[in-house]
Structure formats: structure tokens, C-alpha cells
């Protein structure tokens, strides 16, 4: 069967984070629910990279794109559509952002990502750099790099 989603191509102008939000998906997702699922909370996020975009990935397909304005320490009370079990959020962060421009969203929405974040056991990857950097969820370390195909 032919894959119906074209492959996403990333460059430095569109550098960002791929966030796997598959496990947070619901049959009906409002814009606010999708934003809150994507914006946080993320452990040990390399915010110093100053990447511009957050790509919400569901089953390896980009479902939404946000422009990242800033990063802040996780504040569980700032979410209205999500509940958290975690009480200690040290080293956890969330971004503040808006929907990316229509041009950027058209460029990336409904495009597939060839690396499976679930299979790699990572919550997010960086894209638009020379390499993709897996950030640890399980056994992968910050120093491991995977080349984009």
C-alpha cells in the first residue's frame, strides 16, 4: 500500500522539536487541547538551542505546527485541558507559543516523519539541524545522534 503522506523536509530555517503526542490524542481535539498536548511538560528539554518551531506528531504524521516564543519551567496549573499525576516537575519545561504562520503550517501539516519516536523510545527529537538529536525517555543519551535519511 502506498503511503499517502509525503515526507517532511526540515532545514535550519524551520528548525524545531518533533513532539510525539500520539498517546494524548482523543477522537475530537480542540485547538487548545492540541496546543496543551504539544507545549509540555517535557523533561530536560534543550531550550538553549533556541529552535523556532514545535511540530505535533501523531503516529509519525505532523498534525500541527507552533511557533515557539519562549520556554518556562513547567507549571501544572497553567493547563486547562490536561491533568497530571506528577507532582515534582523539577527539570520539566513547557513552551509558550502560537500557531505557526499559514505558510509554515501548509508546508508541514500532514507530512510524515520517517523516524518513529515511539520505536526510538523518545518523547521528542530536534530537527532542522545537521543531525537529529534523540532526547532521553529511556536508554538514549543526549550525546547520541541519528542522521536524517
Amino acid at each position: 500500500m502506498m503511503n499517502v503522506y509525503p515526507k517532511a523536509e526540515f532545514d535550519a530555517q524551520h528548525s524545531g522539536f518533533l513532539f510525539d503526542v500520539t498517546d494524548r490524542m482523543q477522537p475530537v481535539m480542540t485547538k487548545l487541547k492540541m496546543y496543551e498536548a504539544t507545549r509540555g511538560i517535557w523533561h530536560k528539554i534543550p531550550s538553549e538551542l533556541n529552535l523556532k518551531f514545535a511540530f505535533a506528531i501523531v503516529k509519525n504524521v505532523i498534525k500541527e505546527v507552533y511557533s515557539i516564543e519562549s520556554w518556562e519551567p513547567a507549571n501544572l496549573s497553567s493547563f486547562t485541558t490536561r491533568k497530571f499525576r506528577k507532582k515534582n516537575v523539577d527539570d520539566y519545561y513547557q513552551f509558550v507559543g502560537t500557531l505557526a504562520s499559514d505558510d509554515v503550517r501548509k508546508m508541514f501539516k500532514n507530512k510524515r516523519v520517517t523516524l518513529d519516536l515511539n520505536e526510538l523510545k523518545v518523547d521528542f527529537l530536534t530537527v532542522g539541524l545537521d543531525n537529529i538529536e534523540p532526547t532521553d525517555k529511556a536508554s538514549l543519551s543526549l550525546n547520541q545522534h541519528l542522521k536524517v535519511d
Side-chain angles (χ1 to χ4, degrees), residues 34-59:
M34 179 61 87
Y35 173 63
E36 288 192 350
T38 308
R39 70 182 290 243
I41 60 174
W42 303 106
H43 189 239
K44 297 183 179 178
I45 195 86
S47 58
E48 69 280 359
L49 294 175
N50 295 316
L51 302 179
K52 301 171 188 171
F53 297 101
F55 301 92
I57 307 296
V58 176
K59 296 183 180 178

Side-chain angles (χ1 to χ4, degrees), residues 12 15-17 46-54 67-69 71 125-129:
S15 61
F17 295 96
S47 58
E48 69 280 359
L49 294 175
N50 295 316
L51 302 179
K52 301 171 188 171
F53 297 101
S67 291
I68 298 172
E69 295 172 5
W71 285 94
L125 295 172
T126 58
V127 293
L129 306 173

Side-chain angles (χ1 to χ4, degrees), residues 20-30 33-34 37-38 56-59 63:
D20 187 351
V21 298
T22 304
D23 62 341
R24 297 184 194 124
M25 283 303 294
Q26 299 170 354
V28 176
M29 290 287 283
T30 65
K33 282 183 182 182
M34 179 61 87
T38 308
I57 307 296
V58 176
K59 296 183 180 178
K63 294 298 184 180

Side-chain angles (χ1 to χ4, degrees), residues 3-26:
N3 194 327
V4 296
Y5 297 105
K7 181 181 168 189
E9 301 288 340
F10 300 94
D11 56 26
Q13 182 181 359
H14 300 101
S15 61
F17 295 96
L18 298 178
F19 291 110
D20 187 351
V21 298
T22 304
D23 62 341
R24 297 184 194 124
M25 283 303 294
Q26 299 170 354

Side-chain angles (χ1 to χ4, degrees), residues 55-123:
F55 301 92
I57 307 296
V58 176
K59 296 183 180 178
N60 290 14
V61 175
I62 299 171
K63 294 298 184 180
E64 194 53 87
V65 185
Y66 302 93
S67 291
I68 298 172
E69 295 172 5
S70 63
W71 285 94
E72 60 188 22
N75 176 356
L76 302 182
S77 66
S78 68
F79 291 85
T80 59
T81 65
R82 293 180 63 188
K83 291 185 170 65
F84 295 93
R85 293 184 196 128
K86 186 174 289 299
K87 300 218 190 301
N88 180 2
V89 291
D90 292 342
D91 294 328
Y92 285 82
Y93 296 88
Q94 61 199 34
F95 72 84
V96 176
T98 58
L99 281 175
S101 70
D102 287 342
D103 290 344
V104 171
R105 291 172 69 223
K106 286 178 189 171
M107 188 181 309
F108 291 101
K109 277 185 73 169
N110 296 313
K111 300 281 177 77
R112 70 183 161 83
V113 176
T114 56
L115 293 173
D116 186 334
L117 280 68
N118 212 12
E119 187 177 298
L120 292 171
K121 298 189 185 331
V122 296
D123 290 322

